[in-house]
Structures are given as C-alpha cells and as structure tokens.
C-alpha cells in the first residue's frame, strides 16, 4: 500500500499593473489568434480595458466573447464552446471572476477536443468524468474578484439546468497556464462582491484544511492520469490553506469596509490564489457540496451589488451560510484542526476543551458573518423547511466533494445540516 | 512604478513507492524514445532499479546515460549534451541528486536548441544569459537526495573548469515537468550525504528568506520572458522558506542519525522540494555565491561517504561553512527575519535584543553544525588565509546571486567573510 500526493500548481504573476504585460506574454507564446472571454459588465470596466490596451499595443489578433453568464450553466458553457470552436484560436485569455475563468476553461477544452460529447468530461455520476488526454491551448487567467482562485485550479463549475444542480469539470489539464494577479482590478469591486468572494476563500481554506487526509481517500487509481485533482488534505495543501486563512482573518473585513484599502484588497487577491492552490489539490467538502443545490434551486433572491437581471445566490454566500453547521458536524474527526482554525479567526482558545472544537469554530464563524452583515441563514435567501428534501437531493450527486468530508454523512445528517443553517444568529 | 512577482512551480508527486508509476507517466506523455540519466553509483542502486522496472513494465523504449559527473563541469555537461543530441529523445528522466538533474536539464535544453553555442544560455557575465524561447521536451526528475530541490527549479549549476568557478543556467524553461519525490530513495543515503544535502536545504531556506525583497531588485525587464527566476524574497517564497526551515529544525538531525527514521527522511525529502520552490523563485545570496569558488578551487579534500575518485567539496558543505559569518553580516538589514530564523532553529530569543539578531543566528548555526560533526570551517577542508584572494576573485562573477544579498558587499567584506569562516568553533 502506498499513498500518493500529486500537486499541480499554476504559475502566477502578482503586482499592481501587471495586466499590461499580457500582450507580451501572448507574443512570447507565439499566439496568432486569441480568444478573449469576459462578461458584459466587465467588458466596460478597467480590467478589460487594461487587457485590450495591451493586446492592441502588442499587435495581437483577437476576438472578444463577452457573453459569459454569471454563475454559468450548461447552456452558457455550450454557447462559449461554440464560439471557441468556430474561432480556431491558439490561445485564450479570461478576464473576470470564477464564472468567466471557468467558462473559458470549458471552451478551451471542448474546442481542443471537438468530437467529444459535452458529458464526456463532466464529473461523474452526472457526466462520464473521462480523463483529458488531448493537448489544450494556453490559457491566461486574469481574476477580477478575490474568491474562486480559479486561476490556479483545474476545476470549472456550472449549473446543470435540467437537473437543477451545480456540477463541473475537474482535470489538471484545464488549469490555466498563467494567472495574472493584478490587485488594481479588485479596487472596483463593490462591497458585497468583495464579501461573498472572500467567503469563498474562507471556505476553501477551512474545507481543504479539514478534508479527509489524502492517505484515507479512495479509490486510488493506478494510472496517475486518472487520479483526481482533489487529493484530500495533505502536507502541501495544509501550508497554503493555513496561510490563506491567516490572510482572511487579517484582511477580509478591511477589504470589505474600504475599497481604498489597497493593502487589504491586494492581500485578499493573493489569498484567493493561495487558497486555490490549497483546495485545488486537496479538495473541498460539505460547504461546497451543499452549496450547489442552494445556488441551483434559487427562487427570487437577487443579491445587492450584482448587476444581473436573473435571480442568483452568489457562490461564496451559498457556501458560507452552512459553514457553522458543517464544522460543528465535522469537528469530531479532527478537533485540533478545527480549534486551530477558530484561533486563527480570532477565538480565544486558551481554556477551550478539545471536544468543544466544533462549537467554538461554529460560534467564531457566526460572529465573523454577523459582523459582516451576512444574510441570516438560508431562510433569509428564500428557503424554508419544506425545501430541505430538494436541497438534500441536490447534494447527493456532489459525491466528488462530499466524500472528502472527514465525517461520512447520511441523508438525515444532510437534512439536519440544512435545517441548522436556516437561521444563523 | 510597479512590482512583479512571477512564480514558476513544478508539479510534484510524493509518496513511498511512487517511482513505479514513471512508466505510465511516460506513456501518458506519449514518449517513444526516452533518455534516462543517472550516475555510475546510482546505476547500481534501488532508485534506478525502480525506474528501470517501471520502464520495462510499461514497454518504454529508452537509452541510459550513467556518465553524469558528481559536481558537474562544463566538460561533463557537454558530454551529456552530445549523448542527448545523438539520441533524438522525446522525453527525459533524471534519477539522482542535483548533479544528475542539473545535467539532464542542460542536455534537454541544448538538444532542443542544437544550433546554440554552449555559452548562449550560461548566466552572464560568464555566458550570454540568453532567454530560452525554444520548446523543450518533458523532463521527469526523481531526486535521490534531500537537498538541491532541483526537481522544482529552473537552475542547472556546473563547474566552469577554465575559470575555476561554478556558474550555471537559470531559466523557467528548464524546470522539470514533474518531480517524483519518493522517500524510499533517501533510505539508502549515507550519513554525510544526508547531512550535506540537508545543509543545502537549510541555506536555501535561510538565504531566500533573507534575500533582497522583490520590490528592491533591479533591473526589472519589461518583457516577462526576460525576467529572472530569482525574484528576491517575496510573500509566496517566504511561506515555503519558513515551512522548510521548520522541517529542517525538526527533522534534519534525526534524518542524519538514523537511516531507519522514515518519518524524518520523508520530511527532509519534502523540505528539499519546498525550499526549492522558495529559493527557485526568490533566489539565494552570499552563502551560495561564496560556495562556488569554495567548491571550484578544491585541493585535495575528499569527503567521507562520497564514492568518487576525485577531490570535491560537496555543495551543501561549501554552502553551510560560511553561513554563520554571512548571516552575522546581513542581519543589520532585516534583523527581525534573522531573529525569527534563529528561533525556529532553537534559539531562546525571549530576552534577545534585535540588534544582536545576526550574532544570535550565527551562534545558533554554529551550535547546529557542531552537533552534526561538521568540519571546523574552511581551514578543515584545506584552505588557508593565502587562498582568500582567489576565493574572493571566484565570488565576483557570482553577481547573479550575490546581488540578492540584502546588504551590498565590497571585496573587503568578502575577504572578511571568508576569513571569519576559516574556523567555526
């Protein structure tokens, strides 16, 4: 018996203004036909401007696709894939949050594998979860939020409309070639987008640090190419997760409160990439697994600061609302890690009992969310007790992540977790 | 003015026995003609056996080159390059310590760029330091020591015989595609090889953590492809450097004392890769810069446990012998970082004065080395005061690293540092 840990870590470049180098990067890659992906809002904003200026200055031939859907769906993925197939591009640039970067990963993948059926690469059991063996084109990701860390991961998430669940594609092959982390882009983020994307960083760090250890994960495919990106918690991802958590504890509140706080916003932008490298190799578990139906089954909730005309639960919000209940549930497995996380987030654990670790972390998270004016649980975003069976049903296909929970869970457990998350304060 | 941090981080796989997957990796890469590089000693030992078994089992067509020179020279590099050019390989495997992995990087580079002159890619001012724009073949590195971290870096060091100095090639392009970190390979390392390679890890961590901050480094080339791999200390490399230093503090002595201590040897094997990721993106400074003439001018020293017929100063030893003097010299710039390092290495700093940081770190290092039976300074490996001018002269061309010292140094400073390193205890 032997245990394996395989790390895939993106190259990243960090610095105020580094976006202006992207034209040279594409020249250096020898790119002749570039696909630039973004969304309608961003296409009018400084991050896309900066990219366009650089492409023009370097004489890069490109086509722009700005039809990316915020919280993308299978339909919106297919639309972007169609564009990519027609364009016969030799490089991709994604400027945006996780929605844009994930859509661009999918477009690159299917345009590089034109005879594949869409379900071929979608995670099992919803899709076939095939290994990617085709070579992809280079993709440069320019994140404009400080949340998903998508610029460092091999994951692309979308909403499967027919089944009303979120699922995704997960393969090291779709990881961007380079992530350009330019904190200037985060200065234009409105307050709630900073908060919600920051909660995603928080949960990436907490979930990957408490995930099932990599030596306990199964199955362990014999061919490395079939090994999942999500390896379970491990000595390398732990370093990234703890480091990201410390930055969140220090800077998230400051970044939300003051758009001019460059130090805080720059640090959160880096923390997003760090947490991405952590969870991108370790995985996430119940907060993320349960978040997909919370987003997928959205009724009429329209979040403040999101300039979209459809209902949506922002990903970071859907993830963080269950976090107090989830960590109270999982702490019995690695209580010392839960207590350590609570301490990093500000809890005084000098007299804490180890068996109370879950409650202490849950309480610390509730205080943290209360201070940040987060909606008071699932009830506040439109769910009631009657929705719990559907939420549980939507969580079951998320086995890829829920099985990384350190504590196995029954349907009853999931029901109880959703119920405990209806109201937080 | 803007500052840039560019990280290039290798993929790594970690676990006891993971070497047996290398045949599948090469199949997955579609490799048809593989070059396996190692040295004469290793070609008879279990790590190479494990690779050969896996290649045979996967039906991989390969040729073996076992002529790698320990502490390689321009001549030994050229011999390996000649072999690589003739073989027209489509993938490389390097099994060994830094000497083997570095030689294989050079072979891959020049075989991929057959019309280049050897000096084209060698670091300036000795060579031309040209940017690498040709595509290289995949290289899988299987480290058998816990020291260089070469499996994670874009650096290849050799001894330039004519000038009697060590220099190298430094480019992200020569970074291995995958590092296979199999702690089983470290179990056969003799005591002094564990010690000396561990000192390399120690100095990688200490030097990269105290290197000139990336925002103070110059020049800052406008095209990213011309940017050096060594960026100066930065918020990402700091995480790796400190983490590696903590592992060295906890495990190096155990790993040296007891070959059966799998936990210690496995942790040092990982620490070597972690420190590699740190210094490979931040750089090293005076210990490394001064080590190259210490190795290059070797007289008759033959280290215990090294099965070679020529004189040599092992790289890790040549690096660590000046470390007390170097950090006493550099501490005035970042005393708090020097004090933090001393604390991690076991110093009690509760009543320490910040202005004594350099002396405290130097004293901590001397104790650490004394406990590990390290030769008592440069005098013990054959140098005397009369050699100092030559040692200084050999350090001057190492500007690529010495300029990353947080404190600038004159020739007189270098003389004083060599003199202070003649005797340690």
């Amino acid at each position: 018996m032997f245990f394996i840990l395989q790390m895939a870590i993106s190259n990243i470049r960090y610095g105020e203004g580094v976006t202006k180098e992207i034209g040279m990067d594409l020249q250096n890659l020898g790119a002749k036909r570039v696909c630039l992906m973004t969304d309608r809002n961003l296409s009018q904003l400084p991050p896309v401007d900066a990219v366009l200026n650089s492409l023009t200055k370097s004489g890069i031939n490109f086509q722009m696709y700005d039809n990316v859907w915020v919280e993308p769906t299978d339909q919106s993925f297919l639309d972007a894939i169609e564009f990519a197939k027609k364009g016969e591009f030799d490089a991709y640039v994604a400027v945006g949050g996780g929605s844009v970067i994930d859509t661009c990963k999918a477009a690159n993948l299917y345009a590089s594998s034109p005879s594949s059926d869409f379900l071929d690469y979608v995670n099992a059991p919803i899709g076939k979860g095939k290994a990617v063996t085709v070579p992809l084109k280079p993709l440069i990701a320019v994140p404009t939020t400080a949340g998903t860390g998508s610029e460092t991961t091999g994951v692309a998430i979308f909403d499967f409309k027919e089944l009303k669940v979120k699922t995704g594609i997960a393969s090291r092959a779709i990881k961007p070639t380079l992530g350009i982390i330019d904190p200037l882009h985060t200065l234009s983020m409105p307050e709630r987008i900073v908060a919600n994307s920051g909660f995603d960083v928080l949960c990436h760090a907490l979930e990957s640090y408490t995930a099932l250890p990599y030596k306990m994960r199964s199955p362990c495919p014999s061919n490395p190419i079939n090994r999942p990106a999500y390896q379970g918690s491990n000595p390398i991802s732990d370093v990234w997760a703890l480091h990201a958590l410390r930055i969140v504890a220090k800077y998230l509140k400051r970044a939300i409160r003051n758009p001019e706080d460059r130090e805080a916003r720059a640090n959160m932008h880096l923390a997003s990439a760090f947490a991405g490298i952590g969870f991108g190799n370790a995985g996430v578990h119940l907060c993320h697994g349960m978040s997909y139906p919370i987003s997928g089954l959205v009724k009429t909730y329209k979040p403040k600061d999101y300039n979209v005309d459809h209902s949506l639960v922002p990903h970071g919000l859907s993830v963080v609302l269950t976090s107090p209940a989830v960590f109270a549930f999982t702490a019995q497995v690695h209580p010392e890690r839960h207590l350590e996380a609570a301490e990093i987030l500000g809890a005084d654990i000098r007299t804490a009992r180890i068996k109370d670790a879950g409650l202490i972390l849950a309480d610390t998270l509730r205080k943290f969310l209360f201070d940040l004016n987060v909606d008071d649980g699932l009830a506040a975003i439109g769910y009631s007790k009657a929705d719990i069976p559907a939420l549980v049903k939507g969580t079951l296909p998320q086995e890829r992540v829920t099985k990384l929970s350190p504590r196995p869970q029954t349907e009853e457990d999931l029901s109880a977790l959703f119920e405990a998350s209806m109201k937080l304060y």
Side-chain angles (χ1 to χ4, degrees), chain A residues 278-294:
Chain A
F279 92 82
N281 287 286
V284 282
H285 56 83
L286 289 174
C287 298
H288 270 75
M290 293 167 63
S291 83
Y292 299 131
I294 294 173

Side-chain angles (χ1 to χ4, degrees), chain A residues 113-351:
Chain A
S113 185
S115 58
S116 292
D117 184 74
F118 182 66
L119 284 176
D120 282 354
Y121 295 122
V122 172
N123 295 323
I126 292 170
K128 292 186 198 147
K130 276 194 188 171
V132 178
T133 54
V134 293
L136 269 65
K137 305 296 183 195
L139 189 169
I140 301 180
V142 186
T144 58
T145 60
T148 64
S150 181
E151 67 278 12
T152 67
T153 73
V155 179
I157 301 291
F158 66 94
D159 201 347
F160 207 121
K161 277 306 198 188
E162 196 183 308
L163 300 178
K164 288 202 172 188
V165 288
K166 287 217 172 189
T167 182
I169 300 162
S171 164
R172 289 179 191 85
I174 64 173
K175 192 169 57 77
T177 320
L178 175 66
I180 292 187
I181 300 176
D182 184 342
L184 290 182
H185 299 332
T186 66
L187 298 181
S188 49
M189 262 199 294
E191 188 200 289
R192 279 299 103 182
I193 297 187
V194 178
N196 290 327
S197 50
F199 298 148
D200 201 18
V201 181
L202 172 67
C203 288
H204 287 159
L206 289 173
E207 289 173 70
S208 59
Y209 192 56
T210 57
L212 194 71
Y214 76 105
K215 292 190 177 183
M216 292 168 67
R217 183 182 54 78
S218 66
C220 183
S222 64
N223 188 326
I225 208 170
N226 295 322
R227 210 158 284 154
Y230 286 1
Q231 306 260 295
S233 63
N234 63 67
I236 306 182
S237 64
D238 287 350
V239 178
W240 294 97
L242 286 178
H243 191 59
L245 193 61
R246 286 191 195 99
I247 299 178
V248 169
K250 181 167 181 186
Y251 288 112
L252 179 55
K253 288 185 183 176
R254 282 173 52 180
I256 294 170
R257 205 126 312 167
N258 180 8
E260 303 298 316
D261 189 337
R262 286 186 170 213
E263 182 190 340
R265 292 213 168 186
N267 272 284
M268 281 304 302
H269 210 29
L270 263 184
S272 165
F274 292 166
I277 296 170
F279 92 82
N281 287 286
V284 282
H285 56 83
L286 289 174
C287 298
H288 270 75
M290 293 167 63
S291 83
Y292 299 131
I294 294 173
S295 289
L297 297 170
V298 60
K299 298 172 185 180
T300 56
Y301 185 73
K302 288 194 181 169
K304 188 169 159 273
D305 289 346
Y306 287 72
N307 183 16
V308 288
D309 52 14
H310 55 287
S311 306
L312 68 85
V313 183
H315 173 63
L317 183 64
S318 71
V319 163
V320 86
L321 288 177
T322 60
S323 65
V326 162
F327 295 110
F329 173 78
T330 56
Q332 64 172 232
V333 184
H334 295 299
E336 70 298 341
R337 287 190 169 222
H338 289 69
L339 206 54
E340 188 184 359
E343 186 180 26
I344 292 172
L345 290 171
D348 178 351
I349 64 160
R350 283 172 300 177
T351 55

Side-chain angles (χ1 to χ4, degrees), chain A residues 356-375:
Chain A
D356 295 336
L359 295 174
I360 293 169
L361 178 53
D363 198 42
T364 308
L365 285 166
R366 270 190 292 263
K367 277 184 199 140
F368 195 84
L369 298 180
F370 181 82
D371 289 348
L372 290 169
N373 296 317
V374 173
D375 296 278

